[in-house]
């Protein structure tokens, strides 16, 4: 490949709306161009990277025994109604009417379509297990598309769906997919972690996310220093707190005229924030609920939503609060409500003694509060908070937080879709059985952006070799001036290609500074310069993208270095 | 690859709505499954074929110097309004509103999107010529989707768009693309022809179609026995007719009480159909026009539409006919109209003497009609008819007709899109110049169906080797019964793969009859049977898909035969 016959178009400007480094750098490198909000053209340069990622994903899916097919991007409403998702999926589902007014959507995922295929194709347990996958365009009508291809509306996704006669076999394939994903991200040269995800109604070990680690990541992840434990903060659990100490203080009313937050109250009283309790008023199916977390903690909405009766909870209104507690926000607490309420305490709160809560009276808090003495034991004790840095982990280690970009998700779906769509196979005894399903996604186009978030510097992108548009750039100084230089560059290109290296010749004839800036910006891992002076000395100037200095190498040294 | 770990699902039933052989066979072989009208899932088997076609197309586009990119499938209305195609494209354009009520379409082609990319990327003549292509999903909202993937709504297309500083350079790239297309269809092993297409407003040599020849083809193609000349009947031209003979008969009125067609009139009069003239009444921008073709000919609507004033012609109503000719359909003619009309005569009609036309009077025709004597010379003489088998071609040969399936189209667009979208580059003199454009399409998924239309028999599909899901099937009789048989089959598979052959092991354990029927149905070019009996004799049973008999070959003979 010669850059003079390729289309490379780098720019210096950074668009104002590009907040993330990956977005800016993909635009500056000319990898993508915006067509409309959340819709990007992949330029020849960008597509080379995307295809490399796609190829690794495909190879590892094939190696894992999954079988590729392709489902239509446009799918009929009737199918989505079978599972109730036509309504439930929400605004991200792009709904379409055709010329005959029939309704369709642009597939954001394909559980329904693949289950429809499966129920036409699979009739016997003998045909299971099977894992179908596709690598195909998806669309999610993001309300605020941004960050370039990180959160585009149209994107490339690998989605796989497996079918099993038993939960045990589903669990086996789930592990098989986790291993395949680990191979994918390892081969791509990315620093990543598999973390426990919120597993919704299924519980247990049934859902894990794969995150590329990057400070700019949208997700907070929790790791333990004591083991492999890692989880999305949405799902991360700390260790059980130590047992509740005995009450030592008497209940007393504290004057807090303008102190409405735990922070302000603790500061006024000169006590640690950890001694205070935050009261969050919500409405569940059973009525008014007061959720309590320690003053330095925050409520984890997903965990709270798993409490019985709170699956679809909403914040209580001021009127509802006044009705149940007789007070206004800022001074709420679980002691002496006006009307019956339910109290859900975080495990940490349930283990506290002598704590501080709102007095349900404007301008006052209560201190020295103790369970069983000043108020009844909580109606329910549960883990309803977000973990924080320094929490003790269940394995005895300490919780550390990091940020990540979700690029993969594996999920044991169970029988949710197969049951809703009436998909059965005959089991060994000849009876109809509903297969268990797993689903496994990889955000192929998102990986490109995530890799850049993780790997860039002031000069531009720093690709891991497996994702780079080319592994090596052979830069010719003053091409078409000196036939010997051109010939040496061509010969080197041929040598590199013969050695299995994906090399490109920069024969565009730019000034060296501009040429080198381009090659750095687009993140080529290895740069080799062919010049008249080097040729006279029998050497090439070599510089790794990550190195600060160039070195002079002869052909043999260079090939040895690049073959790695 | 082992079929026991693949998903193969053939069926015996033929769906009632599957009219074409390719549609029936793709369903029976399990290559596709219908999701909704015009929307098909490509099964693992079907996708293998589709990907082989895609790979050949990509290789030849790359070889021709085109550069791959990828445009979004969802494209904003504003872009399509720049060229007026938001309205003009018609009902096939699937229009979409997103959650913010912004309007988009699903790309049926991408001239607008690629020109938008080009105007962002290309600023100088030095960046030209360039040819961008993509292989990506398209959607056309066919009013009557049918024939499986032959006329599906969602389909896979290769579309390329080139940009040039001059018409001469566009013509050069047009020839380059024609050569690439010829390589594509040749490599795929298809019998095909490049034919002149209707070139719309551009005229000349500016548009050619590539057709796979098949009796079931939707398009009629005309070839000359005298040269390479080939054209879609839409565009095919016959030679100029010989000069008009002198008038020999007197004008007379013929009693044709119920004879309304040329056929009936000729039969009643006992004359050749070629002596009669058909009058077709239409309305153009200038008013009423009577188009005349010989009784045995038919009007070519595209040719008629090129006559000045008839670009958007429509049939005349009975009222308009009565007003201008004073008669009713069935008895119309150009002699003695009631109101002024314009007469457009086909070249053949203009060269006739002593002909028969309707008398503009119910129940009567006129015979012995002659130009210049009984009616004025035609207002316009033009080629407005379809060629027929046996016509004399311009090159002196004879016209032959055949049927084809359009799978490719190359087009010199000129400056239609670049001008409408205000795309200019600076030319060598520093002035803004509008680049000329070409576009080049291949119906990748349609090729799969077209190949089957051309290559099938009673037993199923007969793939050309380059398109076959596998080139060779190694069929094991009673797998897992005799370890030596299994081992011999595995060893043969390894040998074949080492020889570069795409081979698959049929280890499903079906009875031989069922196994062979599957392998024939899915069209595998070469079948090798490994059995206990053969192993004892040191031979394999080999049969080509196109052969009627099997033959016994030892390993060396077999490998020699398969290596071709």
């Amino acid at each position: 490949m010669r850059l003079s016959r390729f289309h490379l178009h780098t720019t210096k400007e950074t668009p104002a709306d590009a907040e993330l480094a990956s977005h800016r750098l993909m635009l500056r490198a000319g990898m993508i161009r915006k067509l409309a909000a959340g819709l990007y053209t992949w330029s020849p340069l960008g597509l080379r990277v995307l295809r490399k990622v796609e190829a690794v994903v495909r190879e590892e899916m094939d190696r894992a025994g999954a079988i590729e097919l392709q489902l239509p991007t446009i799918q009929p409403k009737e199918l989505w109604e079978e599972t109730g998702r036509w309504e439930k999926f929400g605004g991200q589902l792009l709904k379409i009417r055709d010329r005959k007014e029939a309704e369709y959507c642009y597939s954001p995922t394909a559980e329904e379509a693949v289950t429809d295929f499966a129920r036409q194709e699979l009739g016997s347990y003998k045909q299971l297990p099977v894992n179908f996958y596709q690598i195909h365009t998806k669309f999610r009508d993001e309300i605020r598309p941004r960050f370039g291809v990180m959160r585009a509306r149209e994107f490339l996704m690998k989605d796989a769906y497996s079918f099993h006669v038993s939960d045990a076999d589903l669990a086996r394939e789930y592990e098989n997919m986790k291993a395949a994903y680990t191979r994918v991200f390892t081969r791509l040269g990315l620093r990543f972690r598999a973390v426990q995800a919120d597993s919704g109604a299924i519980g247990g070990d049934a859902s894990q996310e794969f995150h590329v680690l990057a400070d700019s990541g949208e997700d907070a992840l929790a790791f333990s220093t004591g083991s492999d434990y890692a989880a999305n903060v949405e799902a991360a659990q700390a260790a059980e707190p130590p047992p509740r100490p005995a009450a030592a203080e008497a209940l007393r009313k504290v004057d807090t005229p303008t102190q409405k937050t735990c922070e302000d109250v603790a500061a006024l009283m000169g006590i640690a924030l950890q001694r205070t309790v935050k009261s969050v008023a919500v409405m569940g199916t059973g009525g008014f609920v007061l959720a309590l977390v320690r003053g330095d903690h925050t409520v984890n909405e997903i965990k709270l939503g798993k409490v019985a009766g709170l699956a679809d909870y909403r914040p209580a209104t001021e009127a509802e609060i006044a009705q149940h507690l007789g007070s206004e926000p800022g001074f709420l607490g679980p002691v002496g409500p006006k009307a019956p309420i339910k109290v859900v305490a975080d495990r940490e709160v349930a283990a506290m003694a002598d704590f501080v809560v709102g007095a349900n009276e404007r301008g006052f808090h209560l201190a020295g509060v103790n369970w069983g003495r000043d108020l009844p034991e909580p109606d329910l004790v549960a883990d309803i908070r977000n973990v924080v840095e320094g929490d003790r982990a269940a394995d005895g280690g300490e919780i550390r937080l990091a940020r990540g970009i979700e690029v993969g998700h594996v999920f044991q779906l169970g029988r949710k879709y197969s049951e809703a769509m009436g998909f059965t196979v005959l089991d060994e005894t000849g009876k109809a059985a509903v297969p268990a399903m797993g689903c496994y996604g990889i955000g192929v186009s998102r990986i490109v952006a995530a890799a850049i978030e993780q790997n860039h510097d002031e000069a531009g992108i720093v690709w891991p070799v497996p994702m780079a548009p080319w592994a090596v750039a052979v830069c010719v100084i003053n091409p078409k001036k000196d036939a010997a230089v051109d010939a040496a560059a061509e010969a080197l290109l041929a040598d590199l290609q013969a050695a299995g290296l994906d090399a490109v010749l920069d024969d565009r004839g730019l000034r060296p500074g501009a040429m080198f800036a381009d090659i750095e910006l687009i993140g080529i891992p290895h740069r080799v310069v062919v010049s008249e002076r080097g040729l006279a000395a029998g050497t090439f100037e070599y510089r790794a993208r990550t190195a600060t200095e160039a070195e002079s190498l002869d052909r043999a040294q260079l090939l040895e270095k690049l073959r790695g």
Side-chain angles (χ1 to χ4, degrees), chain A:
Chain A
M1 176 76 73
R2 281 156 185 72
L3 282 188
S4 62
R5 295 184 204 162
F6 190 73
H7 173 75
L8 185 65
H9 184 228
T10 61
T11 54
K12 286 222 167 59
E13 322 85 70
T14 305
D17 69 334
E19 300 168 42
L20 283 190
S22 60
H23 189 188
R24 283 195 303 272
L25 289 171
M26 289 182 79
L27 288 169
R28 284 192 52 208
M31 291 179 63
I32 53 172
R33 293 287 174 231
K34 185 172 169 178
L35 185 73
L39 301 173
Y40 289 89
T41 294
W42 287 81
S43 79
L45 182 73
L47 191 62
R48 279 188 75 86
V49 177
L50 186 67
R51 293 274 191 246
K52 288 202 173 185
V53 177
E54 185 182 337
V56 169
V57 172
R58 179 172 286 115
E59 280 176 29
E60 292 303 335
M61 290 303 290
D62 289 343
R63 187 193 311 266
I67 309 173
E68 190 173 1
L69 51 60
Q70 192 163 286
L71 301 158
T73 61
I74 300 298
Q75 305 181 346
K77 174 187 184 181
E78 293 69 33
L79 217 51
W80 284 73
E81 282 181 330
E82 289 189 46
T83 61
R85 289 212 294 181
W86 183 258
E87 292 306 329
K88 265 190 274 173
F89 205 91
Q92 285 197 338
L93 192 67
L94 183 69
K95 295 179 177 177
I96 299 169
R97 275 174 200 273
D98 73 2
R99 68 196 295 173
K100 292 172 183 161
E101 296 292 320
E103 288 188 87
Y104 296 85
C105 67
Y106 197 125
S107 172
T109 174
E111 283 80 4
E112 286 80 0
V114 79
T115 304
D116 180 65
F117 179 75
R119 69 183 171 186
Q120 292 183 61
E121 295 280 309
L122 307 174
S124 160
Y125 73 96
K126 291 180 193 165
Q127 293 171 283
L128 304 187
V130 66
N131 188 343
F132 294 122
Y133 80 98
Q134 62 172 348
I135 303 180
H136 204 13
T137 309
K138 301 285 184 301
F139 198 97
R140 294 194 185 188
D141 198 2
E142 298 284 350
I143 198 153
R144 209 186 136 201
R146 56 195 166 142
F147 304 146
V149 297
M150 187 76 89
R151 190 170 287 282
R153 294 199 289 174
E154 187 170 324
F155 57 98
L156 187 62
M157 181 168 135
K158 187 282 298 174
D159 44 330
Y161 309 89
S162 67
F163 298 90
H164 309 271
V165 288
S166 69
D167 292 338
D169 195 60
L170 167 58
R172 175 203 54 71
E173 181 66 13
Y174 180 80
E175 293 302 322
N176 180 39
M177 282 294 105
K178 276 167 57 182
Y181 278 33
T182 299
R183 291 196 302 272
V184 165
F185 298 114
T186 303
R187 278 186 59 185
L188 291 175
L190 298 171
R191 295 185 303 284
F192 70 98
R193 282 297 288 267
V195 305
Q196 303 284 345
D198 167 51
S199 48
I202 293 174
D205 210 32
S207 170
Q208 275 178 284
E209 297 164 354
F210 285 75
H211 285 260
V212 167
L213 302 179
D215 293 340
S216 59
E218 207 169 22
D219 283 288
L221 310 177
F223 304 92
S224 170
T225 58
S227 72
D228 279 350
Y229 181 79
N232 195 309
V233 160
E234 286 180 350
Q237 296 179 334
E240 286 273 356
R244 183 192 301 167
E249 300 177 11
L251 180 68
R252 67 186 191 281
K253 203 160 164 183
V254 182
D255 206 357
T256 53
T258 60
Q259 286 71 21
K260 293 183 170 188
T261 66
C262 289
E263 285 79 4
D264 290 347
V265 171
L268 178 75
M269 294 176 65
I271 57 169
L273 185 56
Q274 286 84 341
R275 299 279 308 281
T276 66
V277 168
K278 198 181 291 175
S279 300
V280 179
V282 302
M283 295 299 289
T285 46
F288 190 92
V289 173
L290 205 60
L292 307 181
V293 294
R294 221 169 63 186
D296 60 324
H297 289 159
T298 53
V299 169
N300 179 312
E301 296 178 2
I302 289 173
K303 291 180 181 177
L304 185 60
K306 287 183 182 166
V307 169
L310 295 185
D312 295 306
Y313 80 86
R314 60 166 174 83
T317 63
E318 295 209 4
E320 285 161 346
I321 291 171
Q323 183 195 337
H324 290 86
L325 300 180
S327 180
E328 64 185 87
F331 305 98
L332 307 183
V335 182
K338 206 173 150 192
I341 64 168
K342 192 174 163 191
V343 172
V344 176
D346 182 58
R347 297 179 305 176
E348 295 281 349
V349 172
M352 287 168 80
D354 306 326
F355 53 90
V356 176
V357 296
N360 290 330
E361 185 181 347
R362 183 190 175 88
F364 294 97
H365 278 72
L366 298 175
V369 180
N370 280 282
W371 294 108
R373 185 190 77 182
D374 308 320
L375 74 172
E377 290 291 336
D379 297 294
L380 191 85
V381 177
D383 176 8
I384 60 169
R385 71 173 175 100
N386 289 310
V387 295
V388 294
E389 183 101 22
D391 268 333
R392 200 158 57 81
D395 57 32
E398 214 175 78
I399 295 284
R400 294 268 179 274
L401 297 181
R403 299 203 73 82
I405 300 163
E406 188 189 337
V407 289
H409 200 160
V410 293
F411 213 105
Q412 296 189 30
L413 291 172
R415 291 169 178 78
K416 183 177 167 187
Y417 294 93
S418 41
E419 207 157 76
M421 296 183 66
F423 169 37
T424 60
V425 298
L426 296 182
D427 68 13
E428 294 196 34
T429 68
K431 275 190 309 210
V434 179
M437 281 177 68
C439 75
Y440 319 94
I442 289 183
V444 178
S445 44
R446 177 177 255 215
I447 286 174
V448 177
I452 297 174
E453 287 300 325
Q454 189 181 74
N455 303 282
H456 67 273
D457 62 16
E458 285 302 305
I461 303 166
V462 185
W463 291 116
V465 173
M467 292 182 65
W470 298 279
V472 190
V474 176
C475 297
V476 192
I477 307 290
N478 294 324
K480 293 180 192 159
K481 292 276 162 60
D482 181 338
V485 169
D486 289 345
E490 294 277 352
L492 180 62
L493 183 72
D495 283 353
L496 294 172
Q497 287 170 341
L501 290 157
D502 187 9
V504 68
L505 192 70
D506 192 345
D507 59 344
R508 293 175 298 160
L510 296 190
R511 288 173 299 101
M515 172 164 58
F516 296 164
D518 270 359
I519 297 301
E520 283 185 278
L521 173 60
I522 70 172
I524 308 302
H526 306 287
R527 187 188 80 195
V528 183
V529 180
V530 183
S531 65
E532 205 177 333
R533 199 176 53 180
L535 203 59
T539 60
F540 302 100
E541 184 196 289
Y542 167 76
R543 185 171 152 189
R545 178 64 179 80
T546 51
T548 48
E549 297 291 329
E551 46 189 324
S552 279
L553 301 175
D554 66 22
R555 173 180 236 113
Q557 289 168 324
L558 180 67
L559 280 167
E560 194 183 318
K561 173 155 303 231
L562 290 177
R563 277 202 207 97

